[in-house]
Amino acid sequence: LSLSADFPSLEGTANTQFTYVLTIRNISAMDILANLKVDAPPGFDVRFTEEYGSKEINSMPIPAGQSKNISAKITPPDNTAAGTYTVTITAFTESARAQQSLALVVRGKSSLSLSGPEGRLSVDATAGHEKTIEITLKNTGSADSQGIRLSSSAPSSWKVLFDPEQVESIAAGKDTKIKARITPAGNALSGDYMVTISAHSDDGASTSQDFRVTVRTSTLWGIVAVL
């Protein structure tokens, strides 16, 4: 019995499904049923299918002197740190066994999140007046995030400015503070409004968060309304 892989080392990110084509050869003079066993790091999901099918298998019948191809589809956990990981596949019968080691080269991947002061996602503001809130921008991924730009979506005639407007980089697991200066329209009526703040990086990471802004009209507008 022999076991080999066309490409025993593949590279991707933590959310990549690594697919290897394995060839099992029956070099004996009798038909066999080759069983499959996996030795993988904790949390790694390994599934076997026929080479050109989607049906999951854990064994493969192979006539004497012939070979069969199968696919090994390996998915690491989302939070897998960058590095090289090894998964060992074993094909075995009652009297023979063969092994093939597969290498997964996992590249780090950045991931962004936004949150408000002390985790709050709401703020009070006055029509026509600027309200500044401090937002936490965090890289929850396993690689540094580069060139992060901030943007917003707000009701018509509102102004949303950021300080800074762009963050050069955030290391994996670290965060930075951003000041968002929100100015509701001067003629905005009292009530709740939604402002969406987004962040996008040069390395493809992105996130957005909705903030509820409760607008109150100023005393001057109240006097005008009474008059």
Side-chain angles (χ1 to χ4, degrees), residues 25-201:
R25 291 183 175 86
N26 176 9
I27 51 180
S28 71
M30 65 178 70
D31 297 345
I32 63 168
L33 178 66
N35 299 293
L36 299 166
K37 186 175 72 171
V38 177
D39 181 14
F44 278 59
D45 182 66
V46 183
R47 300 173 188 268
F48 298 107
T49 65
E50 297 173 330
E51 183 182 13
Y52 297 110
S54 58
K55 181 181 178 181
E56 291 186 23
I57 58 174
N58 55 23
S59 61
M60 173 65 71
I62 307 175
Q66 296 187 24
S67 63
K68 292 286 184 70
N69 289 343
I70 62 170
S71 292
K73 298 178 180 179
I74 306 175
T75 305
D78 289 340
N79 59 350
T80 301
T84 300
Y85 299 84
T86 301
V87 172
T88 301
I89 309 299
T90 302
F92 65 96
T93 66
E94 291 183 357
S95 58
R97 79 173 42 229
Q99 287 187 332
Q100 173 66 56
S101 293
L102 304 175
L104 292 81
V105 182
V106 178
R107 299 190 305 269
K109 186 177 185 297
S110 66
S111 181
L112 300 174
S113 69
L114 286 164
S115 61
E118 299 178 355
R120 297 193 309 272
L121 299 177
S122 61
V123 62
D124 294 336
T126 302
H129 292 263
E130 182 182 278
K131 176 71 175 185
T132 300
I133 61 173
E134 190 174 66
I135 296 173
T136 300
L137 176 61
K138 185 174 183 178
N139 178 4
T140 58
S142 57
D144 295 354
S145 188
Q146 308 289 338
I148 307 161
R149 300 171 301 282
L150 291 139
S151 60
S152 65
S153 175
S156 178
S157 299
W158 285 44
K159 291 182 180 179
V160 181
L161 302 174
F162 299 103
D163 181 18
E165 293 183 351
Q166 182 168 328
V167 178
E168 185 174 340
S169 67
I170 303 178
K174 301 298 182 180
D175 61 59
T176 189
K177 304 297 184 183
I178 304 290
K179 289 183 179 179
R181 307 182 189 278
I182 302 173
T183 306
N187 61 351
L189 301 176
S190 296
D192 291 338
Y193 297 81
M194 198 65 69
V195 173
T196 302
I197 295 176
S198 303
H200 303 269
S201 69

